[in-house]
Amino acid sequence: MVAAAHDLSIEQGALFYKQFRWALPALDDPSLPGEGIDLSEATARLQMRKKYGEEIYLEATTENGLLALGADGSIVMDFRGEDTDALSVRSLAYDLEVVIPVGHTVMRAGIYRVLEGRVAVTLNITREGSDV
């Protein structure tokens, strides 16, 4: 399974919310999305970096609450202003992995790279405090 390419546009220091749906192909027409994959028992992780192996500018997981997964296949990115404030460069790369546990009814257990892409960051001009 190949990761879907989806670029993001984020404003530094502002809230960011984006929802995706991971689904299997429809049985009657494989070119269309079918039923969402139940992700209620899965976990997810995402990292944003300038490039592979460099500093992490943002790390989102289901454990830290910046990612949420649903039984309908929904994958939600919900970043607070303090999270996006750390994005101090204009261009980043990211990927998002979903970890399916043993015993899942549809998917084999393992790590699936679901999304990947570039992140265009609009830098924040207005800063808190007059001395900044």
Side-chain angles (χ1 to χ4, degrees):
M1 183 174 281
V2 177
H6 187 85
D7 293 341
L8 304 174
S9 182
I10 298 178
E11 296 176 329
Q12 181 190 30
L15 298 171
F16 177 81
Y17 180 91
K18 190 80 171 174
Q19 183 170 345
F20 300 90
R21 187 169 164 265
W22 190 21
L24 295 172
L27 295 175
D28 57 342
D29 185 352
S31 67
L32 297 173
E35 205 172 302
I37 298 168
D38 181 358
L39 300 175
S40 58
E41 299 297 320
T43 59
R45 57 192 181 217
L46 172 151
Q47 291 182 346
M48 293 183 186
R49 305 171 184 257
K50 278 188 176 181
K51 62 183 182 181
Y52 176 81
E54 290 198 1
E55 172 188 355
I56 298 170
Y57 283 83
L58 188 139
E59 185 162 27
T61 66
T62 45
E63 288 80 13
N64 70 14
L66 301 182
L67 297 176
L69 305 174
D72 62 349
S74 61
I75 300 171
V76 175
M77 299 177 190
D78 191 3
F79 307 153
R80 303 168 303 247
E82 54 265 28
D83 302 315
T84 64
D85 201 47
L87 305 178
S88 58
V89 295
R90 292 185 184 272
S91 182
L92 297 164
Y94 84 98
D95 64 6
L96 184 143
E97 297 175 337
V98 172
V99 182
I100 301 291
V102 173
H104 194 276
T105 57
V106 177
M107 303 293 290
R108 281 185 31 202
I111 300 169
Y112 292 84
R113 193 165 169 219
V114 178
L115 290 169
E116 67 179 12
R118 303 292 308 162
V119 181
V121 179
T122 304
L123 297 178
N124 192 4
I125 302 301
T126 304
R127 304 306 266 171
E128 198 171 323
S130 60
D131 60 337
V132 188

